[in-house]
Amino acid sequence: MDLRFVLASDNSRIQKRFNMAYLSDECEYIPSYNIAPGDYTIVLTDYQKKIMHSYRFWMLIKPGKVITTIRAEGNRNLDDDPYYTGSKAIFLQPEFKTLIRTNRCLVLVDAIIIGHDENRPYLVYMRGKNRPFTLAGIYRTRKET
């Protein structure tokens, strides 16, 4: 399942919610109600400097292998047991080992779209209009070709 989400808050609301964080000079913010893998979205890469960037939402692991979500358990707990207490194996996978320690970010979202491949997708959001909120993310920079 690919993750899709909504980020349609205006820039002033984002700045207020994240203590006056601002968009970097090369960043253009375009609100969207359907951000899909491959689309650009806003991420906060350095909370101390409060600079937001526009990054493409996906990660190219190796040629032909693109992912949008990863699990803390890595490839363990495939049964989605909520009481799983085993290893957080994601730290052991070589493609994520360094990124998780050095390239963490916050992905800004207003809501998450679940079940978009089915006939009845669900929109999941925070109570009390607490938006935008964030998802934990990792990033890798590379030049577009």
Side-chain angles (χ1 to χ4, degrees):
M1 178 181 87
D2 289 329
L3 178 67
R4 290 178 183 251
F5 58 92
V6 174
L7 181 59
S9 291
D10 61 24
N11 197 22
S12 62
R13 184 178 191 138
I14 293 171
Q15 285 182 337
K16 182 178 176 185
R17 182 87 165 121
F18 295 102
N19 299 322
M20 300 309 290
Y22 64 94
L23 295 169
S24 64
D25 293 336
E26 70 276 356
C27 179
E28 180 184 4
Y29 171 58
I30 301 171
S32 176
Y33 290 94
N34 189 12
I35 299 172
D39 293 343
Y40 284 88
T41 191
I42 302 298
V43 298
L44 187 57
T45 57
D46 188 342
Y47 194 74
Q48 299 299 324
K49 294 180 181 176
K50 299 184 188 309
I51 301 174
M52 295 181 288
H53 300 277
S54 178
Y55 285 162
R56 187 169 273 190
F57 172 60
W58 67 328
M59 184 174 285
L60 181 64
I61 300 300
K62 52 187 164 186
K65 184 176 181 186
V66 173
I67 61 166
T68 57
T69 58
I70 55 174
R71 302 168 57 99
E73 306 93 55
N75 56 2
R76 300 177 185 183
N77 190 23
L78 297 177
D79 296 330
D80 286 328
D81 178 8
Y83 302 105
Y84 177 78
T85 58
S87 167
K88 302 300 183 204
I90 193 68
F91 289 99
L92 304 175
Q93 294 182 345
E95 60 266 26
F96 302 119
K97 193 174 190 175
T98 304
L99 290 175
I100 286 179
R101 290 183 172 90
T102 61
N103 290 24
R104 296 179 191 181
C105 67
L106 298 173
V107 180
L108 281 61
V109 301
D110 285 329
I112 301 169
I113 302 168
I114 297 178
H116 58 85
D117 291 334
E118 302 167 12
N119 291 332
R120 298 183 62 187
Y122 294 94
L123 189 65
V124 180
Y125 53 91
M126 300 287 283
R127 287 185 178 169
K129 297 186 179 184
N130 289 328
R131 53 184 184 263
F133 59 96
T134 59
L135 303 174
I138 56 176
Y139 67 95
R140 179 184 317 166
T141 56
R142 69 180 183 93
K143 294 186 178 190
E144 294 285 330
T145 55

